[in-house]
Amino acid sequence: MAQNTVEKTPVTMLGLGAMGTALARTWLAAGHPLTVWNRTPARAAALAAEGARVADSAAEAVAASTLVVVCLVDDTSVGEVLDGTDLAGRDLVNLTTSTPAQARARAEWAHERGARHLDGGIMAVPSMIGVPQAGAYVFYSGSRELFERHQETLSVPAGTTYAGADAGFAALYDVALLSAMYGMFAGAAHAFALIRKEDIDPAAFAPLLADWLVAMAPAVHQTAARLRSGDYTTGVVSHLAMQVAGTPTFLSTSEQQGVSPELLVPYFELMRRRLAEGGGEEDLTGVIDLLVH
């Protein structure tokens, strides 16, 4: 009787930190033959018990599978680990956090060694990996053909989003989105600091803050449209001159509440600079141009 089974793509996983281990475990659970390697061999023990093959060296691990996934601490580690390995004919997927420039250089480095290359930016924490409802996904950039060839396998741990043929775009999208996240966290931190000494329950304030941030989020679409058109003034409701005029109230409130304004001051300074350059009738989009050298 013929067996109605589909052979799963073998995967090599280099790097078994928290994220690498989470990725490896999902491929194992999905039935993919998995070879793993880590600088600290003890980290591979649990995966070996679950069915992974543990390689004695990075070179041995690379030789075991065409699809080689790398998730290390930084770009320097990638070069050190793969130095001396035979990458010819390998499909190298680098999920190590890096800058766009590092990703582009690493792609060229891989191509010079006969490997095909994809760079990835993971938009998740390890606990979200392998949990579809968690919403984890990974940006991939580089060869579209290579992305499509392995998309089914790469989609096992997390969703996949192709960011473009430029190898640096996955890293760029990753850092851009995380930068926006930290900006949001900074604003939330200042808001909580303002109420910190008052008889206000932070847990009661939090839903108001969350709803306000959600309500403001769609403004990014208007900003994108203005950047695309170059028109920063049509349809503006709260123009820059009015907003700059209101900033002393924020600074005075911070002083009165005993809160440092250091998270707000840099942005307010940019607003004032744009106003001084004649952008009073604009919204806040022009501040972006001040940041670009």
Side-chain angles (χ1 to χ4, degrees):
M1 180 181 293
Q3 300 243 346
N4 186 21
T5 59
V6 177
E7 184 177 349
K8 299 293 183 70
T9 300
V11 180
T12 283
M13 183 78 230
L14 301 179
L16 297 176
M19 182 61 74
T21 297
L23 294 167
R25 186 158 278 133
T26 59
W27 279 311
L28 269 179
H32 289 265
L34 183 71
T35 301
V36 298
W37 175 87
N38 192 72
R39 280 174 166 170
T40 305
R43 288 189 177 177
L47 291 169
E50 295 173 31
R53 172 179 172 244
V54 181
D56 292 330
S57 66
E60 179 185 329
V62 169
S65 314
T66 298
L67 178 57
V68 178
V69 181
V70 183
C71 189
L72 298 171
V73 65
D74 55 26
D75 180 71
T76 299
S77 298
V78 175
E80 292 172 351
V81 166
L82 293 177
D83 183 39
T85 64
D86 184 4
L87 294 176
R90 303 296 105 178
D91 295 340
L92 184 64
V93 178
N94 185 13
L95 300 183
T96 302
T97 300
S98 63
T99 69
Q102 288 173 329
R104 291 170 182 134
R106 187 60 62 191
E108 185 62 31
W109 178 92
H111 294 154
E112 290 172 354
R113 287 156 178 79
R116 295 167 291 272
H117 179 276
L118 276 178
D119 191 74
I122 303 174
M123 305 306 296
V125 294
S127 61
M128 297 169 66
I129 299 299
V131 184
Q133 63 270 27
Y137 66 96
V138 181
F139 286 118
Y140 291 96
S141 58
S143 166
R144 177 179 281 279
E145 186 276 329
L146 184 59
F147 170 74
E148 292 176 349
R149 180 189 309 172
H150 292 298
Q151 185 175 10
E152 183 176 355
T153 300
L154 296 175
S155 296
V156 171
T160 59
T161 298
Y162 183 68
D166 187 316
F169 277 7
L172 182 58
Y173 280 27
D174 180 18
V175 173
L177 293 184
L178 291 175
S179 296
M181 177 193 75
Y182 281 118
M184 179 189 72
F185 286 167
H190 186 82
F192 277 118
L194 288 175
I195 70 163
R196 186 67 171 146
K197 294 181 180 179
E198 303 291 348
D199 186 18
I200 298 174
D201 182 0
F205 180 72
L208 300 174
L209 179 56
D211 288 347
W212 179 250
L213 292 175
V214 169
M216 293 298 101
V220 301
H221 299 293
Q222 184 177 66
T223 299
R226 291 193 185 283
L227 289 171
R228 175 181 282 180
S229 69
D231 180 356
Y232 298 174
T233 59
T234 300
V236 171
V237 177
S238 300
H239 57 69
L240 184 62
M242 180 181 72
Q243 295 201 52
V244 169
T247 58
T249 298
F250 294 91
L251 299 176
S252 294
T253 300
S254 294
E255 182 179 2
Q256 293 164 15
Q257 294 299 112
V259 172
S260 168
E262 62 194 287
L263 293 174
L264 297 182
V265 166
Y267 194 66
F268 286 171
E269 288 294 335
L270 287 168
M271 290 167 60
R272 281 192 282 273
R273 279 177 52 197
R274 187 68 180 182
L275 178 62
E277 293 179 357
E281 298 303 312
E282 302 175 352
D283 64 359
L284 295 170
T285 305
V287 168
I288 297 168
D289 291 336
L290 293 180
L291 295 173
V292 179
H293 299 295

